[in-house]
Amino acid sequence: QRLQTSMEMRAEEEKKEDEETFDLTAVGIGSKTPPRHAGDGLYRCIRSVLVGAVGGVAMTLAAPVMGARESGIKGFAGGCAQGVVGLVALPLIGVAQGVYDLGRGIGATPVAIQATVVGKEWDGTSWQFYDLGRERDAVDAIDPD
């Protein structure tokens, strides 16, 4: 009984933690996969900075309106404060993520060059060799029954 209660409490805490985190990749800042090379890192850097700047401006405009709808004048004032915080925070987050992605891209460039020279291809997360003939033979060898 006590073990079950402890497990239930732990599951509730994990659920609460999941709800509190915000995935910035959902709004276009950062990425869940590593950049392939410096060019990819630069692209991600520019995207994160622009998304952060546009998001900051959008929050500045939207937060007061949303606050006013929910709580009138007090909500408008609170929304203005949230908007100002967003105007500063979101571009800073975008720049920080962009610099991080650019650095990772620069760091990945030597590996990308070497992988390309030996014939590897990028599969979205890592460099891989693809031999379609060998893969076809492996699939053909599988007994369908």
Side-chain angles (χ1 to χ4, degrees):
Q1 181 76 4
R2 179 179 246 177
L3 178 62
Q4 184 179 9
T5 304
S6 174
M7 290 175 61
E8 289 172 358
M9 289 173 50
R10 194 171 292 144
E12 286 180 25
E13 287 175 12
E14 288 176 6
K15 183 178 177 183
K16 187 177 179 181
E17 287 176 7
D18 289 343
E19 291 172 359
E20 291 176 359
T21 60
F22 184 74
D23 183 13
L24 291 174
T25 60
V27 295
I29 296 177
S31 177
K32 293 183 179 188
T33 60
R36 288 180 289 182
H37 47 66
D40 191 25
L42 178 61
Y43 166 77
R44 292 176 186 207
C45 176
I46 292 169
R47 184 186 67 201
S48 290
V49 169
L50 290 176
V51 168
V54 169
V57 170
M59 188 167 176
T60 302
L61 299 173
V65 173
M66 292 171 57
R69 283 185 183 164
E70 289 180 15
S71 305
I73 280 291
K74 287 183 181 180
F76 178 79
C80 286
Q82 290 175 348
V84 169
V85 169
L87 183 62
V88 173
L90 288 176
L92 287 177
I93 291 169
V95 167
Q97 182 65 48
V99 168
Y100 175 71
D101 283 339
L102 180 59
R104 287 189 345 163
I106 291 169
T109 297
V111 174
I113 292 170
Q114 183 181 18
T116 303
V117 167
V118 298
K120 291 184 177 181
E121 295 192 31
W122 183 254
D123 72 353
T125 57
S126 64
W127 293 96
Q128 302 291 327
F129 280 114
Y130 287 108
D131 183 349
L132 294 180
R134 188 172 58 211
E135 289 181 28
R136 182 190 64 235
D137 293 342
V139 169
D140 289 343
I142 297 173
D143 186 21
D145 294 327

